[in-house]
Amino acid sequence: MRPTARRVGVVPICLSALLAAGAAFAQAKPVKVGLSSAFSGHVGFIGADARRGIELAIEELKTANTAVAYELSIADDECTPAGGATAFRRLMDVQQVDVIIGSGCSGATLGGMPTLMDGKLSAVTYGSTNPKITEGAGVGGNPYMWRMNLNDTIIGETFAAFIAKDGVKSAHILAVNNDFGRGAAGVYQALLPKNDVKVNGADFFSQGASDLRALISKIAARSPDAILLFGEPPDCALMARQKREMNLKAKIFSRGGCYTDESLKLMGDPRLGDGLTEAAYWARTPDQPMVEAYRKRHGDYPPYNAALAYYAMMTVDQAVRKAGPSRDGITKGLAQVDWKSAIGPIKFDANHQARPDLFMVRIENGEQKVIETISNAR
């Protein structure tokens, strides 16, 4: 009888241990986060920067001993619509992620959006600004697309008025020839005249262009008070150098990354950027602990794509806390997100558009200066 009794006693203990181990395994299973961004070509830095920002956020969440662990997968969307569709599909079907962060490129986001419906998978863009994304998301049709950053229409309504208030009567638009540049140009061609600023014209350049002199000469012949420049840091640095070379006196207002540390370094002499004013959805401010955390980890200030992707990851974590780590849970959680981030409130409206702060940044003596922080909360 005693052997039988021992066996009966052992079985419950083993089952209990197995159940405990199973519960621990379930809790330890990571939430798979996919990053869709450009990792190749002229703008390959966008993806590399975003990856570092997300990795910093994941490390901080791990250190904070949160109940959920995160695992990052990446896909190169090449900053193009076709690349976005391929990257989103790969992350969704092959990597089988639970949520996508990205893209930092409007074209790639627009290309990837339709694929989300098939997998009932949510994506949170941290840097795409084309207004069509908001128009097509949420009540606009796609329940799985979310935008954490401001779009060009929201930015433009404030920036166009700011440009007019700065004494500008005429402006020429110079933009990169992609969905970001064309979308932004269209917004300001409509908004500037409403603020009594004449648009002299609009010209476009190829991503990664090495010479803007012909366009600068064309713009100079029209004598605008200002140039409204839409481009990435390398484009901005090239414009600053060649503007000085050709002695063009027009003021520069910008969108896209002209104010950033990356842009100022690429200029060679950062004072070439003096006077440039950008409406930015991220800027270095003293009340952002992630800035020093990033510096400690990488030895430099965070690029804007790193910072924005960091906050996108923190937004995903907020969604997971609200409704759970599954694809369906994250989608439901994003609808409930309402948190005060260091860059302003993150809460999605009916079109899945958040409204964090807008920063007016001016370059003075080769350095960034935030001259105004504007709340967009409703």
Side-chain angles (χ1 to χ4, degrees):
M1 294 295 292
R2 278 180 289 184
T4 302
R6 281 198 297 272
R7 285 196 297 272
V8 171
V10 168
V11 171
I13 293 171
C14 292
L15 284 174
S16 175
L18 286 170
L19 288 171
F25 176 79
Q27 291 172 2
K29 184 179 179 182
V31 178
K32 300 187 73 173
V33 177
L35 169 62
S36 173
S37 197
F39 287 89
S40 60
H42 297 296
V43 290
F45 62 88
I46 294 177
D49 292 344
R51 180 176 188 169
R52 285 190 285 268
I54 293 173
E55 288 174 342
L56 174 62
I58 289 175
E59 183 61 33
E60 288 185 358
L61 291 168
K62 180 180 178 181
T63 302
N65 293 318
T66 57
V68 181
Y70 293 97
E71 178 182 288
L72 181 63
S73 297
I74 65 170
D76 184 3
D77 62 33
E78 302 173 343
C79 202
T80 66
T86 300
F88 274 42
R89 181 69 67 182
R90 177 174 178 78
L91 289 168
M92 180 170 60
D93 295 340
V94 180
Q95 303 289 355
Q96 295 188 332
V97 301
D98 301 302
V99 64
I100 291 174
I101 293 177
S103 171
C105 296
S106 292
T109 298
L110 288 165
M113 278 178 66
T115 70
L116 300 173
M117 303 286 283
D118 295 338
K120 296 182 179 180
L121 174 72
S122 279
V124 181
T125 181
Y126 59 86
S128 299
T129 57
N130 192 300
K132 291 180 181 178
I133 297 166
T134 299
E135 293 165 8
V139 295
N142 192 323
Y144 301 105
M145 189 69 236
W146 309 77
R147 172 151 43 194
M148 186 202 75
N149 61 287
L150 299 172
N151 69 53
D152 279 313
T153 298
I154 297 173
I155 297 170
E157 289 170 351
T158 299
F159 201 25
F162 181 94
I163 291 169
K165 189 177 178 180
D166 204 55
V168 174
K169 298 298 181 184
S170 63
H172 195 105
I173 294 171
L174 182 60
V176 61
N177 190 22
N178 60 19
D179 283 293
F180 158 54
R182 290 190 298 271
V187 167
Y188 288 88
Q189 282 173 312
L191 289 175
L192 286 172
K194 292 180 180 179
N195 288 273
D196 298 319
V197 177
K198 178 184 177 183
V199 179
N200 285 3
D203 284 288
F204 300 87
F205 59 88
S206 299
Q207 190 83 66
S210 60
D211 194 344
L212 298 174
R213 292 182 184 89
L215 290 175
I216 293 173
S217 180
K218 178 182 176 181
I219 293 169
R222 298 186 179 182
S223 303
D225 296 330
I227 296 171
L228 187 50
L229 177 61
F230 301 100
E232 298 292 342
D235 310 315
C236 303
L238 178 65
M239 177 64 181
R241 292 195 302 270
Q242 295 188 342
K243 174 180 178 285
R244 174 68 65 86
E245 177 187 326
M246 300 185 70
N247 199 32
L248 179 63
K249 300 299 184 183
K251 296 179 180 180
I252 300 287
F253 296 89
S254 62
R255 278 278 303 106
C258 295
Y259 72 101
T260 59
D261 294 297
E262 309 96 279
S263 178
L264 295 175
K265 288 176 182 177
L266 289 169
M267 289 178 191
D269 178 358
R271 291 171 297 179
L272 291 178
D274 282 0
L276 179 148
T277 304
E278 176 145 344
Y281 42 56
W282 181 77
R284 274 195 281 113
T285 55
D287 56 347
Q288 295 184 67
M290 73 83 54
V291 173
E292 284 307 313
Y294 187 96
R295 267 188 100 182
K296 184 176 180 180
R297 187 182 180 111
H298 296 288
D300 206 349
Y301 288 117
Y304 71 107
N305 281 292
L308 288 164
Y310 168 93
Y311 289 113
M313 181 62 231
M314 291 303 192
T315 298
V316 166
D317 181 65
Q318 289 286 321
V320 170
R321 292 170 188 238
K322 293 286 185 182
S326 67
R327 289 185 179 186
D328 182 58
I330 292 171
T331 297
K332 291 177 179 177
L334 286 167
Q336 301 173 42
V337 164
D338 186 0
W339 72 294
K340 181 69 167 96
S341 78
I343 58 171
I346 306 296
K347 181 179 181 180
F348 298 101
D349 64 18
N351 285 101
H352 295 181
Q353 171 70 62
R355 287 178 171 267
D357 295 338
L358 178 65
F359 304 90
M360 294 295 180
V361 187
R362 182 164 288 162
I363 305 304
E364 295 182 358
N365 296 316
E367 296 185 356
Q368 303 174 19
K369 181 179 180 182
V370 178
I371 58 176
E372 189 175 359
T373 301
I374 301 166
S375 172
N376 294 283
R378 285 183 173 178

